[in-house]
């Protein structure tokens, strides 16, 4: 399957002053496969080291961390000569050997000619738990589940994707085709194993079995890898997510986690889930201005999962709703649509999509994004209904040039409202650049 992040990896390979790379992402989103594919396509040789498997390789990092000594030892143990610029060295599950992470500092400072990429399913936890490696000595990329664009490419829809990317909008046949795929994406999501199963069989039941296995693996990780004193709290937070998103106001409420629960008691559980990449936090901003991060209210946030298909199953939404018109987009207060919009926006980290705006109980705009030097409110509408009272309140207050509204209606610009069909949201960067240039 084609992964768009491969282009970012190619750019990293060419970058002057390249540092070792850490590829972040939740369990089973395809980090190892992508790095191996990158090595196959862009290097003469790949030296792959998996630290989760106890082997003599792990002992290489017990000694001094001089890059040349490490390279020599890895070459001998792997049976592959590691050459600068020609060999990609992959450290997988690198969090299992903290000194391997520490060694990245020395490769950045003393041997930047070596191409080193690291990955790990629980790497985010290791990085935030005080594992020793210097800030500024590594590059980061984040791999998400397959986006809708990648989902289309996996099914051979390259011409349709190119049509949208190049500015095509109002072709009825194309729109109908995209809508059919979009309904499937809400059910299947973007986890590589689920998408692969769908492409091979087009069997919803087979896909659900894989999704169930993934959800069970996440729950199993709570007990295996989380500190014992927060395992129960992680489970309570995890179980509360569907209830949190079933509300009209989707602000995370600790009382829904457990009666009488307080923020300070559950922050460590939330942080653990966030560090694994399983959940995404979207913070309220007190002011819609640049940079959005400067105006975050860290005590007020919403929580989503990292994949719409897994959220659907975790929330008990039956796959058969795909047969019932637009109901899949409106299920439990449109939460699946908001999840989808967040995933599509997250493809572009420079948009800083993990923000929303609210004015008390008067109005709430689902997401805020920045496309320098502009701030755009984004209303995640589903179906054909496009009434957006909150968007009007926001625009009256702040007089921004444009607002974005998603729906199932065709693309159009209506005054200062840019209506983007959900199935064309992957072209948002091109759309914004076009609007801003006119």
């Amino acid at each position: 399957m084609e992964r768009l992040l491969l282009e970012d990896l190619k750019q990293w390979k060419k970058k002057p002053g390249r540092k070792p790379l850490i590829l972040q992402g939740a369990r089973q989103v395809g980090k190892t496969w992508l790095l191996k594919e990158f090595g196959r396509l862009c290097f003469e040789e790949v030296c792959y080291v998996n630290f989760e498997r106890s082997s003599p390789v792990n002992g290489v990092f017990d000694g001094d961390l001089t890059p040349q000594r490490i390279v020599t030892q890895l070459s001998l143990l792997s049976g592959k000569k590691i050459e600068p610029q020609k060999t990609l060295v992959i450290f997988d599950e690198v969090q299992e050997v903290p000194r391997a992470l520490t060694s990245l500092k020395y490769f950045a400072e003393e041997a930047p000619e070596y191409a080193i990429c690291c990955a790990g399913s629980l790497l985010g936890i290791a990085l935030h738990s005080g594992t020793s490696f210097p800030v500024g000595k590594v590059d980061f990329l984040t791999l998400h589940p397959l986006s809708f664009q990648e989902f289309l490419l996996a099914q051979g829809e390259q011409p349709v994707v190119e049509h949208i990317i190049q500015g095509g909008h109002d072709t009825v046949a194309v729109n109908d085709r995209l809508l059919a795929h979009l309904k499937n994406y809400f059910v299947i999501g973007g986890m590589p194993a689920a998408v692969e199963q769908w492409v091979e069989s087009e069997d919803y039941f087979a896909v659900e079995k894989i999704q169930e296995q993934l959800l069970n693996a996440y729950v199993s990780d709570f007990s295996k890898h989380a500190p014992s004193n927060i395992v129960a709290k992680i489970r309570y937070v995890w179980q509360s997510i569907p209830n949190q998103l079933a509300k009209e106001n989707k602000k995370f409420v600790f009382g829904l986690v457990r009666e009488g629960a307080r923020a300070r008691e559950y922050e460590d559980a939330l942080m653990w889930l966030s560090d694994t990449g399983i959940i995404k936090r979207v913070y309220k901003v007190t002011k819609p201005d640049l940079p959005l991060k400067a105006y975050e209210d860290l005590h007020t946030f919403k929580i989503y999962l990292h994949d719409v298909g897994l959220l659907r199953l975790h929330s008990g939404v039956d796959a058969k709703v795909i047969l019932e018109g637009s109901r899949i987009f409106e299920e439990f207060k449109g939460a699946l649509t908001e999840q989808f919009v967040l995933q599509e926006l997250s493809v572009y980290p420079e948009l800083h999509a993990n923000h929303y705006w609210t004015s008390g109980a008067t109005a709430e705009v689902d997401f805020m994004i920045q496309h320098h030097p502009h701030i755009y409110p984004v209303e995640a509408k589903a179906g054909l209904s496009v009434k957006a009272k909150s968007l009007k309140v926001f625009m009256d207050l702040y007089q921004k040039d444009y607002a974005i509204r998603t729906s199932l209606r065709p693309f159009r610009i209506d005054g200062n409202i840019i209506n983007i069909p959900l199935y064309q949201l992957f072209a948002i960067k091109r759309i914004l650049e076009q609007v801003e240039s006119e």
Side-chain angles (χ1 to χ4, degrees):
M1 290 180 287
E2 187 171 341
R3 300 308 306 265
L4 300 179
L5 202 69
L6 182 60
E7 292 305 312
D8 296 86
L9 289 169
K10 290 177 180 178
Q11 291 304 312
W12 169 80
K13 181 177 186 283
K14 300 174 187 174
K15 189 165 68 171
R18 179 188 65 203
K19 304 169 187 174
L21 177 76
I22 289 181
L23 182 61
Q24 301 181 104
R27 177 180 179 136
Q28 297 297 314
V29 294
K31 298 183 295 298
T32 300
W33 178 88
L34 178 59
L35 291 180
K36 287 183 174 180
E37 182 72 358
F38 173 47
R40 184 182 71 81
L41 293 173
C42 301
F43 291 84
E44 294 180 16
E45 189 61 82
V46 175
C47 176
Y48 174 75
V49 179
N50 188 329
F51 290 110
E52 196 171 42
R53 302 168 188 160
S54 180
S55 75
V57 173
N58 296 16
V60 168
F61 297 88
D62 291 340
D64 74 81
L65 298 179
T66 306
Q68 197 53 58
R69 187 193 72 83
I70 292 172
V71 166
T72 300
Q73 292 290 313
L74 290 179
S75 295
L76 288 171
L77 290 169
S78 66
K80 295 180 179 179
K81 186 177 181 181
I82 298 174
E83 298 184 77
Q85 312 303 339
K86 294 182 179 181
T87 307
L88 176 65
V89 180
I90 301 173
F91 291 166
D92 203 0
E93 301 300 346
V94 67
Q95 75 280 352
E96 298 296 327
V97 180
R99 281 181 60 80
L101 273 173
T102 304
S103 75
L104 301 182
K105 168 190 174 181
Y106 302 100
F107 277 99
E109 292 176 344
E110 302 171 19
E113 65 274 16
Y114 290 102
I116 299 178
C117 290
C118 304
S121 56
L122 298 170
L123 187 51
I125 295 168
L127 298 184
H128 286 149
S129 64
T131 296
S132 174
F133 81 89
V135 175
K137 301 298 182 183
V138 293
D139 292 323
F140 287 93
L141 285 174
T142 300
L143 184 64
H144 302 286
L146 274 76
S147 65
F148 184 53
Q149 179 179 347
E150 291 171 319
F151 181 75
L152 291 170
L153 293 174
Q155 296 175 89
E157 294 286 15
Q158 181 79 30
V160 174
V161 169
E162 289 179 357
H163 172 76
I164 300 302
I165 292 292
Q166 292 170 6
H169 291 303
D170 299 323
T171 304
V172 174
V174 169
N175 288 355
D176 289 346
R177 193 165 176 171
L178 287 169
L179 179 58
H181 282 305
L182 183 67
K183 288 181 178 181
N184 283 329
Y185 185 77
F186 270 52
V187 171
I188 295 152
M191 297 301 286
V195 175
E196 185 176 31
Q197 179 64 60
W198 173 251
V199 171
E200 290 177 358
S201 68
E202 294 193 358
D203 184 337
Y204 293 116
F205 297 105
V207 169
E208 275 205 357
K209 284 183 180 179
I210 288 173
Q211 291 171 322
E212 286 172 357
Q213 290 169 2
L214 289 168
L215 289 176
N216 289 337
Y218 289 156
V219 172
S220 178
D221 280 346
F222 302 163
S223 298
K224 287 182 183 175
H225 301 290
S228 58
N229 63 315
I230 67 168
V231 170
K233 291 188 286 186
I234 291 172
R235 290 181 183 275
Y236 282 125
V237 170
W238 175 253
Q239 291 163 3
S240 81
I241 291 174
N243 289 338
Q244 303 283 354
L245 293 175
K247 303 188 278 69
E248 197 71 50
N249 176 355
K250 295 178 174 57
K251 171 190 169 184
F252 189 84
V253 176
F254 285 91
L256 289 178
V257 175
R258 198 176 186 192
E259 189 174 350
R262 296 177 181 274
R264 65 175 180 272
E265 299 171 334
Y266 284 86
E267 179 55 36
D268 48 2
L270 284 164
M271 182 64 75
W272 193 91
L273 287 167
S274 181
D275 286 346
T276 63
I278 297 173
I279 67 168
K280 294 176 178 288
R281 280 205 255 193
V282 177
Y283 292 96
K284 175 185 172 182
V285 290
T286 56
K287 182 182 178 183
D289 213 342
L290 290 168
L292 286 171
K293 189 167 183 62
Y295 300 98
E296 287 178 349
D297 175 0
L298 296 178
H299 302 291
T300 308
F301 53 88
K302 302 185 287 187
I303 280 187
Y304 298 90
L305 294 192
H306 67 301
D307 179 68
V308 67
L310 294 184
L311 176 62
R312 175 197 64 81
L313 187 62
H314 186 44
S315 304
V317 178
D318 199 308
K320 70 181 180 183
V321 299
I322 197 172
L323 303 175
E324 301 175 18
S326 298
R327 187 182 156 203
I328 184 71
F329 306 114
E330 298 159 1
E331 194 67 31
F332 80 112
K333 303 294 184 184
L336 293 179
T337 296
E338 290 184 32
Q339 171 77 49
F340 170 78
V341 170
L342 175 60
Q343 282 182 238
E344 291 297 284
L345 296 176
S346 296
V347 170
Y348 306 103
E350 65 271 25
L351 295 181
H352 298 275
N354 59 322
H355 299 96
Y356 77 106
W357 173 88
T358 181
S359 177
T362 308
E364 179 178 316
V365 175
D366 298 315
F367 302 103
M368 304 294 301
I369 61 174
Q370 59 186 61
H371 189 253
H372 196 76
H374 302 281
I375 295 288
Y376 293 89
V378 180
E379 188 81 352
K381 287 291 183 182
L384 298 171
S385 173
V386 292
K387 292 181 180 178
K389 185 183 80 171
S390 293
L391 209 53
K392 184 179 185 306
V393 170
F394 177 91
M395 295 299 278
D396 288 345
L397 276 172
Y398 295 105
Q399 301 297 313
K400 297 294 183 184
D401 293 333
Y402 288 100
I404 297 168
R405 178 179 59 207
T406 71
S407 73
L408 295 183
R409 292 191 174 188
F411 177 87
R412 64 176 292 179
I413 299 177
D414 186 8
N416 60 356
I417 304 293
I418 307 170
N419 188 83
I420 305 178
L422 288 166
Y423 47 75
Q424 293 183 11
L425 198 55
F426 61 82
I428 188 169
K429 284 274 299 222
R430 191 265 305 158
I431 291 170
L432 293 180
E433 288 163 3
Q434 179 181 336
V435 167
E436 291 167 6
S437 67
E438 294 176 353

